[in-house]
Amino acid sequence: MAVKLDEPLGRVAYVNARILDPAEGWDGTGGVLTDGEKIAAAGPGLFDAGPPEDAKIIDCQGACLPPGLVDIRAHLGEPGEEQKETLASAGRAATAGGVTSLLCLPDTNPCIDDMSVVEFVARRARQLGLTKVYPYGAVTKQLAGKELAELKLLRDSGALAFTDGVRTIADPLVLRQALAYAATFGLVICHQAEEPSLAEGGVMNLGENSTRLGLAGIPREAEIIIIERDIRLVEMTGGRLHFVNVSTAESVEVIRRAKDRGLAVTCDTAPPYFSLNEHAIGDYRTFAKLTPPLRDEDDRQAIVQAISDGVIDCVASDHTPQDEESKRLPFAQAASGGVGLQTLLPMTLELYHNGHLSLLQALDLVTRAPAALMAMDAGRLKPGAPADLVLFDPDRSWKVSSDVLLSKSKNSPFDGRPVQGMVLRTVIDGRTVHTHGA
């Protein structure tokens, strides 16, 4: 859908909706009134006396209307790997998935360790007028894990937080310096935990299945050891550390104990780690080759429990587009990663459909919680907030396939899976940017 940024916006009343706002605890029949790019009013019973006469009316016909989704981890390809994804194709996939704000990882080419790249990504996304894109800044120059990038300059240019993407910072001295320096700005370091020497050469989870398939495995301890080390560094520095893509039962327990001690530690996971296990690899299926690797069933169930308990703070898409040339290879040589922007909502809703969470709790994982972690003005329906909304039917089913995925790459680990949760309309800053079937 073409977006006309200069199109005048008046007042719009979204009526007859099931209003869901985890920040306010709302779940009831009501509506939202937008005025230009902002929310003017929202809540259950809002239009019981009728909508304003001067407002355009959109009848939601009982569908769910929460804040737009906030995704705190997506690889976007541009600049440098436009054959896999561009900001435009990612924006179309994100809006089709109800994502209105996302943070992109710095592993572009050139990587985002320089002010000019931060500004390029932000400016290009604004021009497109689709999902709002906020860049991470790299923790280390060239993502090499050796020397700190100019964190303050990156922050001043618009970087919301810092990470080296899928690369673990192996040198504890470098991470200690980063945590201490970022703490002076009150910013968070996001870290994917995988001890490089233990993971080297591995392509899937280490265990009976890797032995049966004849593939080199990555032990669960590669993740756990780094998390234990990093928590010690948080204690030393007083910094804020967010672990991404947590995938093992013991990782969760270590993080749970750190939280109980009051340390500034948070974590997220991605849908593959609570919806799939290592058997999804099947007969060397490269779409299921991810980083970290899919774990065993006990770990999957532990991740579900940790989401239910609140130890895992939020869910991110970990959108990682890989083109056919990167995936159509023998399993050991294929690239890791899966697209996830359009499946973030339905896979998170599986936690609701399977009885693990209420609908409001499931939506909290992808709206209020990630926005709060990154101190973003998003993820809630308060008056004065940006008019970012998603209208969806939680029960309408569809099948994940290359025909419906709008990402430039089609490498979904959920390819062929029936899911529930259809996005009907996505609104960003008061403008409709996606309508189902349009």
Side-chain angles (χ1 to χ4, degrees), residues 11-188:
R11 300 217 295 175
V12 180
Y14 296 84
V15 305
N16 190 25
R18 180 180 174 183
I19 294 296
L20 291 142
D21 186 357
E24 299 292 341
W26 291 341
D27 182 357
T29 301
V32 174
L33 178 67
T34 65
D35 189 351
E37 298 183 352
K38 303 291 185 181
I39 292 173
L46 176 65
F47 298 126
D48 284 355
E53 293 183 357
D54 63 343
K56 176 184 176 183
I57 306 298
I58 293 179
D59 187 349
C60 300
Q61 300 182 334
C64 296
L65 186 61
L69 273 57
V70 177
D71 181 14
I72 62 168
R73 190 172 60 259
H75 303 252
L76 297 188
E78 185 178 355
E81 289 192 306
E82 287 83 356
Q83 77 280 10
K84 297 182 178 180
E85 193 76 288
T86 63
L87 287 164
S89 61
R92 287 191 290 273
T95 55
V99 177
T100 55
S101 298
L102 66 78
L103 269 74
C104 69
L105 292 170
D107 55 349
T108 49
N109 185 17
C111 68
I112 306 178
D113 66 352
D114 182 88
M115 293 185 300
S116 62
V117 190
V118 173
E119 291 165 354
F120 164 78
V121 171
R123 182 173 62 253
R124 177 85 175 112
R126 283 196 301 272
Q127 290 170 346
L128 291 168
L130 295 169
T131 294
K132 299 171 185 174
V133 176
Y134 301 91
Y136 278 105
V139 178
T140 64
K141 292 181 179 178
Q142 298 297 307
L143 308 175
K146 302 294 184 185
E147 183 181 357
L148 290 188
E150 298 287 354
L151 304 187
K152 183 176 185 302
L153 293 178
L154 291 169
R155 190 283 307 265
D156 292 345
S157 301
L160 285 192
F162 303 104
T163 182
D164 272 1
V166 297
R167 303 186 188 193
T168 299
I169 299 171
D171 188 336
L173 176 60
V174 173
L175 184 59
R176 191 195 79 178
Q177 292 171 335
L179 283 166
Y181 193 45
T184 63
F185 312 122
L187 297 179
V188 64

Side-chain angles (χ1 to χ4, degrees), residues 189-202:
I189 301 287
C190 299
H191 202 207
Q192 181 146 329
E194 189 173 74
E195 212 293 318
S197 61
L198 283 176
E200 186 175 2

